[in-house]
Amino acid sequence: MKKLIFIMGVGVLITSCNIKKEEKGEMPEVDVDIMADAGELPEYEVNWADIDVGTTTKTVNVPKVVVVMEEEEVEVPFIDFDMPESDSTQISERTIMVEAEVTDKEHKLDITKIYASGNKLYVVSELTSTDTSIADKTMRVSDQVVLKAPELDVKYYIVGQRPDNMFNTKYEYVNNMSEIENEMKDNKVIYEK
């Protein structure tokens, strides 16, 4: 194997340069009494391949993601809490929102249920794929509910397959609702779509 690589290397060197003999060579003359005239080795001019390294400008397709956000008036579900034994000044309005970034096909993301237990909310959403292709583009889908309540801890679940994207790591994804039914069975449903 080493001999083959050596032979191929020599072959590449020979074919990548131009060798031109410039002057005839001759062997030294030798007398029997060990007197020798100085000999002359042949001279060669070696022209190596001319190699240029640099950059050039070409037109190529480069993927670009364009996200357009437009402000529109839409109907958003509203939940108003009336907590027993709570000070009404602690109640504030805030938006519960879930988002996912998807590729390949358009998706829908819907908040399907919100459960309450003590001072904790469980927001359950469903991510479903449609048949509409978006090719190599990225699409962000979301849903939201306006909540008027005291400050509560919120845990988010999305039922569906997690898209491959770092943006989608802030929610817990489950394959189906049965994976979290035991955790939700003693909680009160305060919103259902």
Side-chain angles (χ1 to χ4, degrees):
M1 184 67 173
K2 289 181 182 178
K3 288 181 182 179
L4 179 62
I5 292 173
F6 176 75
I7 292 170
M8 288 175 57
V10 169
V12 168
L13 283 174
I14 290 172
T15 59
S16 66
C17 64
N18 179 12
I19 301 175
K20 185 171 103 179
K21 186 174 182 179
E22 295 283 306
E23 192 177 313
K24 184 178 177 182
E26 61 183 64
M27 295 300 290
E29 291 180 18
V30 180
D31 286 340
V32 177
D33 63 350
I34 316 219
M35 289 287 279
D37 289 340
E40 190 175 308
L41 293 174
E43 290 183 17
Y44 291 91
E45 180 182 324
V46 178
N47 294 322
W48 290 96
D50 186 19
I51 300 171
D52 293 325
V53 177
T55 61
T56 185
T57 303
K58 294 279 185 185
T59 302
V60 296
N61 290 330
V62 177
K64 297 222 173 188
V65 176
V66 178
V67 177
V68 178
M69 301 295 282
E70 294 179 353
E71 197 170 293
E72 289 183 17
E73 283 191 22
V74 294
E75 292 286 324
V76 178
F78 184 84
I79 302 170
D80 191 358
F81 270 72
D82 186 16
M83 301 288 280
E85 302 176 16
S86 70
D87 185 0
S88 60
T89 59
Q90 295 176 348
I91 293 177
S92 61
E93 186 175 294
R94 64 185 181 136
T95 301
I96 302 292
M97 185 163 147
V98 292
E99 293 181 290
E101 248 181 35
V102 296
T103 56
D104 188 36
K105 301 244 185 228
E106 283 187 9
H107 285 66
K108 285 180 56 184
L109 182 62
D110 294 307
I111 297 174
T112 54
K113 285 186 180 179
I114 299 177
Y115 297 87
S117 176
N119 66 341
K120 191 158 190 161
L121 291 181
Y122 299 91
V123 178
V124 180
S125 305
E126 189 172 339
L127 180 66
T128 54
S129 175
T130 69
D131 293 331
T132 307
S133 173
I134 57 173
D136 59 348
K137 293 182 174 68
T138 299
M139 176 182 186
R140 189 173 290 182
V141 291
S142 66
D143 195 15
Q144 60 189 3
V145 173
V146 176
L147 182 69
K148 189 173 181 183
E151 188 67 31
L152 301 168
D153 291 328
V154 181
K155 184 165 184 177
Y156 295 91
Y157 291 102
I158 296 180
V159 178
Q161 186 170 356
R162 180 195 311 266
D164 292 331
N165 189 315
M166 285 302 293
F167 179 83
N168 299 309
T169 58
K170 60 183 176 178
Y171 305 112
E172 185 172 335
Y173 282 76
V174 294
N175 292 323
N176 53 54
M177 190 62 190
S178 64
E179 291 182 33
I180 57 173
E181 277 178 351
N182 278 345
E183 188 175 352
M184 300 301 144
K185 71 179 178 181
D186 294 329
N187 300 335
K188 180 179 179 181
V189 176
I190 61 168
Y191 170 80
E192 188 168 7
K193 192 173 201 175

